[in-house]
C-alpha cells in the first residue's frame, strides 16, 4: 500500500508539471486595449462551457490567426486541482503583442476567465482534450470566423493548446497552417514519457494523422524544455502519413521563458510543404 501511495504522489507531482501549476514566476496580464489591432473581449457560453476570446473589432483581411491558450493553472503547488484554471502566466498574450498581422484572435480553454455550473476541476485536469472540449472550442472558432467574415484560419497553440490546434485543424477544412509553441502534440505519449496515467477520454492528434499530413505545420520546441521535450514533437511527426508538411525547430527557451523576445523572428519562418 505504501508503494502505491508513493507512486500516486509521484504521478500527481509530474502531472503538475505537465498540466500547468500555479507559478511564482508570472508574466503579467495584458489589457485588450494594448493590441495594435484593436481587440474586443467576448465570452461564448452557448456550448456548455464558457470560452473567453479576443477578436478584431474591425476585420482587415480574409485570414484570421488564432492563438490558443495552454492548460492554464490546472494544479496547485499543494498537488491539488486548482479551483480556477485561468492562466497566471500570460505568455500567449505577450506573443500576440509581438505579432503585426492585421487580424489576430485569442482563444482560451473552457472555464478559463469565467466559469458556469458545468465547470469543475475534472474539465481542466484529466478531462482535457476530450471530444466535448474540442467540439466546444471548434464551435467558438466557427463563430469567430463567421462574425469576422473570414475565409481561412491560421492556428497557433501554446503547450496544451498545441494539441487543441491540431485537433481543430483535423476537423476543419479552412485551416491553412498550424504553429505550436512548446506544444503538447501527443498527450498519450507525453504522459507515458513522464510515467503518469493516461487521460482515458483525451483525443490524440496522432489518431488524425491522415487529415493532418497535408496541413503546413511548424512546431517550435524549447531546447531547455523538460516539461514538453523535443521527443514529443518527434513522436507526433513519425505518426504522420507524409512528413513533407511538418517542420520541427528547436529554440533557445524552456517551457515559459525565452519565447517573447524571439517571437517576431520565429513568425518569419513560414509553414510550408516541401515536396
Amino acid at each position: 500500500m505504501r508503494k502505491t501511495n508513493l507512486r500516486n504522489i509521484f504521478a500527481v507531482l509530474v502531472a503538475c508539471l505537465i498540466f500547468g501549476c500555479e507559478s511564482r514566476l508570472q508574466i503579467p496580464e495584458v489589457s485588450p486595449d494594448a493590441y495594435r489591432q484593436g481587440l474586443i473581449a467576448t465570452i461564448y457560453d452557448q456550448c456548455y462551457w464558457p470560452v473567453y476570446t479576443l477578436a478584431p473589432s474591425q476585420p482587415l483581411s480574409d485570414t484570421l490567426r488564432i492563438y490558443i491558450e495552454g492548460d492554464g493553472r490546472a494544479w496547485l503547488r499543494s498537488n491539488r486541482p486548482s479551483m480556477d484554471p485561468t492562466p497566471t502566466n500570460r505568455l500567449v498574450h505577450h506573443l500576440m503583442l509581438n505579432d503585426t498581422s492585421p487580424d489576430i484572435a485569442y482563444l482560451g480553454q473552457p472555464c478559463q476567465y469565467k466559469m458556469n455550473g458545468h465547470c469543475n476541476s475534472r474539465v481542466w485536469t484529466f478531462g482535457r482534450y476530450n471530444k466535448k472540449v474540442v467540439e466546444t472550442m471548434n464551435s467558438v472558432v466557427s463563430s469567430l470566423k463567421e462574425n469576422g467574415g473570414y475565409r481561412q484560419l491560421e492556428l497557433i497553440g501554446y503547450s496544451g493548446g498545441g494539441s487543441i490546434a491540431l485537433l481543430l485543424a483535423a476537423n476543419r477544412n479552412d485551416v491553412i497552417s498550424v504553429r505550436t509553441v512548446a506544444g503538447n502534440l501527443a498527450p498519450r505519449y507525453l504522459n507515458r514519457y513522464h510515467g503518469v496515467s493516461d487521460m482515458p477520454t483525451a483525443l490524440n492528434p496522432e489518431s488524425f494523422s491522415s487529415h493532418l499530413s497535408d496541413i503546413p505545420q511548424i512546431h517550435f520546441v524549447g531546447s531547455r524544455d523538460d516539461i514538453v521535450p523535443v521527443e514529443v514533437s518527434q513522436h507526433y511527426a513519425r505518426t504522420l502519413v507524409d512528413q513533407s508538411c511538418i517542420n520541427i525547430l528547436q529554440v533557445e527557451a524552456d517551457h515559459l521563458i525565452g519565447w517573447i523576445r524571439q517571437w517576431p523572428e520565429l513568425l518569419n519562418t513560414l509553414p510550408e510543404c516541401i515536396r
Side-chain angles (χ1 to χ4, degrees):
M1 180 64 71
R2 185 171 182 273
K3 289 183 178 179
T4 300
N5 288 339
L6 288 174
R7 188 179 301 114
N8 289 340
I9 291 171
F10 175 76
V12 171
L13 288 171
V14 177
C16 187
L17 290 175
I18 299 173
F19 301 148
C21 291
E22 183 179 28
S23 172
R24 293 188 181 92
L25 179 62
Q26 295 189 5
I27 297 176
E29 294 187 32
V30 176
S31 167
D33 297 331
Y35 300 100
R36 63 175 61 86
Q37 293 89 345
L39 305 183
I40 296 177
T42 304
I43 293 177
Y44 290 84
D45 57 3
Q46 300 91 342
C47 297
Y48 201 71
W49 298 298
V51 176
Y52 174 83
T53 70
L54 294 168
S57 57
Q58 182 64 47
L60 298 174
S61 72
D62 64 355
T63 302
L64 180 63
R65 177 177 291 172
I66 302 177
Y67 284 74
I68 303 172
E69 184 58 80
D71 300 326
R73 189 177 62 167
W75 296 86
L76 301 175
R77 285 186 172 272
S78 56
N79 307 326
R80 292 180 293 110
S82 168
M83 290 298 101
D84 182 356
T86 302
T88 56
N89 292 311
R90 305 300 170 82
L91 172 61
V92 178
H93 291 165
H94 283 264
L95 296 180
M96 293 170 61
L97 280 176
N98 286 304
D99 192 329
T100 59
S101 298
D103 293 272
I104 62 174
Y106 173 81
L107 183 67
Q109 295 206 32
C111 302
Q112 295 177 350
Y113 303 95
K114 182 179 180 179
M115 289 189 272
N116 63 12
H118 299 296
C119 292
N120 59 71
S121 61
R122 185 160 188 84
V123 177
W124 53 84
T125 54
F126 298 108
R128 294 191 324 282
Y129 320 139
N130 68 22
K131 182 179 180 181
K132 195 163 191 175
V133 166
V134 175
E135 287 176 347
T136 296
M137 297 186 75
N138 198 33
S139 176
V140 175
V141 168
S142 293
S143 295
L144 291 173
K145 178 188 175 186
E146 181 179 353
N147 292 343
Y150 297 103
R151 185 173 62 85
Q152 55 195 17
L153 305 172
E154 298 177 341
L155 303 181
I156 300 177
Y158 168 65
S159 192
S163 271
I164 297 295
L166 291 172
L167 293 169
L168 291 173
N171 286 278
R172 304 183 64 91
N173 59 10
D174 52 7
V175 176
I176 61 172
S177 70
V178 173
R179 295 178 177 91
T180 65
V181 176
N184 179 3
L185 312 185
R188 183 185 298 114
Y189 176 86
L190 181 61
N191 286 2
R192 292 175 181 174
Y193 179 92
H194 284 295
V196 300
S197 300
D198 284 338
M199 295 181 289
T201 61
L203 300 177
N204 281 268
E206 62 192 70
S207 300
F208 301 89
S209 60
S210 61
H211 300 280
L212 292 168
S213 292
D214 291 330
I215 299 176
Q217 305 168 44
I218 297 180
H219 303 293
F220 298 110
V221 181
S223 60
R224 295 181 281 105
D225 190 347
D226 56 2
I227 296 176
V228 184
V230 66
E231 288 87 349
V232 176
S233 295
Q234 291 170 341
H235 169 82
Y236 162 72
R238 288 194 296 269
T239 69
L240 295 183
V241 177
D242 181 352
Q243 298 182 23
S244 59
C245 291
I246 186 170
N247 191 6
I248 299 172
L249 295 178
Q250 292 200 52
V251 178
E252 183 60 31
D254 61 23
H255 197 66
L256 181 66
I257 302 302
W259 295 102
I260 297 173
R261 177 180 57 82
Q262 300 183 75
W263 190 235
E265 181 180 352
L266 294 176
L267 279 175
N268 288 332
T269 304
L270 302 179
E272 60 180 350
C273 298
I274 301 176
R275 293 187 168 120

